[in-house]
Amino acid sequence: QTCALPISISAAARWRPDVILLELVLPDRSGLEALDDITREWPEARVIVCTALGERGVAAEALRRGAREVVGKPFAPVRVLEAVRRALA
């Protein structure tokens, strides 16, 4: 299920999904800011960042801010499944 970002962050903290897939390019704010909000509200959240931004610095920053993994676009669906499996392990 997807929903607007402010609702998603509070909903994630309340619903406790097993894994959150987060895009870094969002229409109204930075995905890194959203990641900060998610990990502040729910420090144990398992967040996998998906992005087309190819810079290593962006991936490193997402990992530093609490993402479990960064999956670059374009990606094969199997890559996302593997990342989810690792996050759940």
Side-chain angles (χ1 to χ4, degrees):
Q1 179 177 0
T2 62
C3 51
L5 191 60
I7 295 168
S8 296
I9 293 169
S10 63
R14 187 174 58 253
W15 295 337
R16 306 280 194 212
D18 293 331
V19 175
I20 297 170
L21 299 176
L22 177 65
E23 169 61 57
L24 284 186
V25 178
L26 301 170
D28 56 347
R29 66 190 296 198
S30 158
L32 290 174
E33 291 172 351
L35 178 60
D36 289 340
D37 290 346
I38 291 166
T39 56
R40 185 177 23 261
E41 289 281 326
W42 182 21
E44 66 275 13
R46 289 172 256 186
V47 181
I48 298 170
V49 168
C50 302
T51 184
L53 301 175
E55 299 178 24
R56 287 183 192 214
V58 173
E61 185 64 19
L63 293 169
R64 188 186 71 72
R65 292 184 185 201
R68 296 283 178 107
E69 193 161 339
V70 177
V71 178
K73 291 180 182 176
F75 50 77
V78 70
R79 281 265 294 124
V80 176
L81 290 174
E82 290 167 353
V84 169
R85 284 187 187 116
R86 283 190 292 272
L88 293 173

